[in-house]
Amino acid sequence: MAEGSSPTNRLYASLALALQAGAGFDRPLWMGFDSSDMLAYTAATNALTAEMSTGGLARGTTTVVLTLATTTVAADSCKCYASTSPTTAAAIYGAGMFSASTVGNLLAWHRWAAVVNATSTDTIQETITIQEEVGV
């Protein structure tokens, strides 16, 4: 018989719960918005190239809500949601989830399909779902 090992579905759900509830490690509690095209971003990216710092779009001006979601198995993902209203016109290409209100680690990023030219009458809503990849 060949040797083998595997994480279980409960581990994926436990990791999502830890992100949502917190356990003394990097948690995705802050969202920042990027005014660059984000085309060169990879899994190794750890900062937004042109993170917005004014106009109601600065990191920390949004309240991030963390909930559990199902992607592959029950409650295996942490959904990060934020809503904000710009106070000035802005061209936004995407968003990132951070572990701190300043500096910190970029834990996940989302490049939008097209630039959003927001005005002060708009509301920007962003949801980033973080899932431990099953099978890796």
Side-chain angles (χ1 to χ4, degrees), residues 7-127:
T8 67
N9 289 342
R10 287 303 313 152
L11 176 62
Y12 303 126
S14 293
L15 291 171
L17 180 61
L19 284 172
Q20 187 253 349
F25 57 91
D26 283 355
R27 293 181 62 210
L29 294 177
W30 291 271
M31 185 174 290
F33 295 92
D34 202 331
S35 63
S36 71
D37 64 26
M38 301 172 71
L39 292 173
Y41 285 22
T42 67
T45 302
N46 195 36
L48 298 178
T49 301
E51 185 173 349
M52 304 177 101
S53 60
T54 61
L57 296 168
R59 190 186 330 173
T61 59
T62 59
T63 299
V64 176
V65 177
L66 302 178
T67 58
L68 296 177
T70 298
T71 303
T72 306
V73 299
D76 66 346
S77 302
C78 180
K79 189 176 285 188
C80 312
Y81 169 81
S83 177
T84 191
S85 295
T87 57
T88 60
I92 309 167
Y93 287 83
M97 295 301 310
F98 290 89
S99 63
S101 61
T102 60
V103 190
N105 291 308
L106 178 63
L107 303 176
W109 55 268
H110 176 216
R111 179 181 57 240
W112 299 339
V115 63
V116 171
N117 292 302
T119 68
S120 60
T121 60
D122 292 331
T123 298
I124 306 297
Q125 298 177 336
E126 174 69 3
T127 300

